[in-house]
């Protein structure tokens, strides 16, 4: 696995055509501890060789440093890639993981200009509202984003961590190409209402953390014991204490399926996410993150792994048995707003 180009799909009705798997770039310069910058740059190039064309970042990742890191690669391949970035989460230099949310019209315009400068591009292909500030009317937020499309600064609009009703309200203001939410064998809450709403509107789903922030690959169990001090997974409830041990036990059926296919745990987890497209009748483009070439080859190989009905049945109960919330502070998600 890993030597063939992946297939392509349309990212939402009227959206750009992209590889069926994208690349989350956050960890290349932020959140998961130190990385090898040269290897990360080589990973960007290798991903493109394999047909990965959707590259995902955000202005809050490293307080803009992640966008700056991507800029040379984007300039070199501007006509070959689909660039996605986000606004709305505001962090300070002293507390990079402490965030507030801004969706007001003035901030939308301020944020896009700053991202364009850091990225070194004239237009952003897919611009997401990273989180929803319920104090700001959706008409104001998406209306401001729609103005950016009219002005040629943005091509397509996206939303992250929204409810089904919020998606419908936004889509009524301007067509939404994609919704980004956590979706994996450990996180399936969006299947209740967001996924059906997206399917009905012709909106694509872009699952982030499809590998459970690496936990589903079996690469670590106890984040607070195994990961570095600057790795933000150390503060996530699922990866610490008794929760971590309980959740590690849930990997056993994934491991058995991987062994039966001659695949890795991560490939099984990603193949399951890709299968959601057929299961729910919509476009699904997961964006697993990595800064290593061998991992991008492994991840794209998952697009060619076909899971059997027996495999899917073994995986079905996992999400309902997961211990702990996705974040320590769930107010920064769509949970509880539906």
């Amino acid at each position: 696995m890993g030597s063939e180009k992946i297939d392509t799909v349309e990212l939402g009705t009227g959206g750009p055509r992209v590889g069926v798997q994208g690349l989350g770039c956050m960890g290349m310069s932020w959140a998961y501890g130190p990385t090898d910058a040269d290897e990360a740059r080589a990973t960007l190039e290798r991903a493109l060789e394999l047909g990965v064309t959707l590259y995902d970042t955000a202005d809050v990742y490293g307080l803009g440093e992640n966008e700056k890191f991507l800029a040379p690669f984007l300039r070199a391949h501007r006509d070959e890639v689909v660039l996605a970035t986000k606004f709305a989460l505001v962090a300070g230099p002293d507390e990079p993981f402490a965030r507030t949310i801004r969706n007001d019209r003035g901030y939308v315009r301020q944020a896009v200009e700053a991202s364009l400068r850091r990225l070194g591009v004239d237009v952003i292909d897919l611009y997401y509202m990273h989180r929803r500030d319920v104090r700001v009317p959706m008409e104001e937020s998406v209306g401001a984003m729609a103005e950016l499309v009219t002005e040629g600064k943005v091509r397509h609009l996206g939303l992250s961590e929204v409810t089904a009703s919020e998606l419908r309200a936004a889509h009524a203001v301007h067509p939404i190409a994609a919704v980004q939410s956590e979706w994996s064998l450990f996180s399936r809450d969006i299947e209740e209402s967001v996924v059906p709403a997206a399917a009905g509107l012709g909106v694509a789903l872009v699952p982030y953390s499809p590998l459970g922030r690496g936990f589903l690959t079996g690469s670590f169990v106890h984040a607070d014991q195994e990961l570095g001090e600057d790795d933000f997974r150390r503060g996530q409830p699922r990866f610490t204490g008794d929760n971590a041990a309980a959740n590690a036990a849930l990997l056993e059926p994934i491991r058995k399926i991987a062994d039966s296919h001659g695949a890795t745990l991560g490939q099984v987890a990603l193949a399951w996410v890709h299968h959601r497209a057929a299961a729910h009748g919509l476009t699904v483009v997961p964006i697993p993150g990595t800064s290593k070439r061998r991992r991008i080859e492994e991840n794209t190989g998952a697009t060619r792994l076909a899971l059997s009905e027996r495999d899917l049945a073994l995986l079905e109960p996992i999400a309902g048995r997961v211990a702990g919330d996705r974040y320590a502070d769930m107010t920064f998600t769509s949970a509880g707003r539906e």
Side-chain angles (χ1 to χ4, degrees), residues 217-284:
T217 69
S219 60
F220 72 94
V221 176
H222 295 280
D224 49 341
Q225 299 173 22
E226 300 172 49
L227 304 180
E229 292 289 340
D230 55 352
D231 194 309
F232 95 118
R233 290 172 292 186
R234 290 170 61 96
Q236 291 187 293
R238 290 182 174 177
F239 309 143
T240 56
D242 292 341
N243 288 345
N247 292 335
L250 299 178
L251 303 185
E252 191 54 35
I254 306 174
R255 189 171 285 109
K256 289 180 179 178
I257 294 168
D259 289 345
S260 71
H261 286 278
T264 66
L265 275 73
Q267 286 176 326
V268 172
L270 278 174
W272 180 89
V273 175
H274 282 291
H275 184 267
R276 299 304 89 195
H280 294 278
L282 79 169
T283 299
V284 177

Side-chain angles (χ1 to χ4, degrees), residues 69-88:
F69 177 81
L70 291 177
F73 171 78
L74 295 171
R75 286 195 295 269
H77 301 286
R78 191 64 192 98
D79 295 336
E80 302 170 80
V81 304
V82 173
L83 162 65
T85 192
K86 316 177 197 74
F87 76 93

Side-chain angles (χ1 to χ4, degrees), residues 138-224:
M138 188 67 81
E139 292 76 14
E140 177 180 341
S141 303
V142 180
M145 296 168 71
E147 290 172 4
L148 303 179
V149 176
T150 301
E151 295 166 13
K153 296 176 180 178
V154 169
R155 290 195 172 104
H156 304 281
L157 303 186
L159 304 171
S160 180
E161 287 281 355
V162 293
T163 66
S165 59
E166 289 167 346
L167 171 57
R168 293 188 185 98
H171 198 74
V173 177
H174 187 278
I176 302 299
V179 167
Q180 188 173 131
S181 288
E182 188 163 353
W183 200 5
S184 73
L185 283 168
F186 270 21
S187 299
R188 297 181 58 180
D189 53 299
I190 65 168
E191 293 178 19
E192 183 174 346
S193 58
V194 176
V195 169
L201 294 170
V203 176
L205 250 295
V206 177
Y208 74 82
S209 299
L211 293 172
R213 302 193 184 281
F215 192 88
L216 288 166
T217 69
S219 60
F220 72 94
V221 176
H222 295 280
D224 49 341

Side-chain angles (χ1 to χ4, degrees), residues 308-338:
S308 68
E309 290 301 318
R310 182 176 180 276
D311 295 336
L312 295 169
L314 288 172
L315 298 172
E316 183 64 25
I318 291 176
R321 299 171 181 169
V322 174
D325 287 332
R326 294 190 285 134
Y327 294 94
D329 183 0
M330 289 293 286
T331 63
F332 282 89
T333 73
S334 59
R337 291 207 311 269
E338 193 64 72

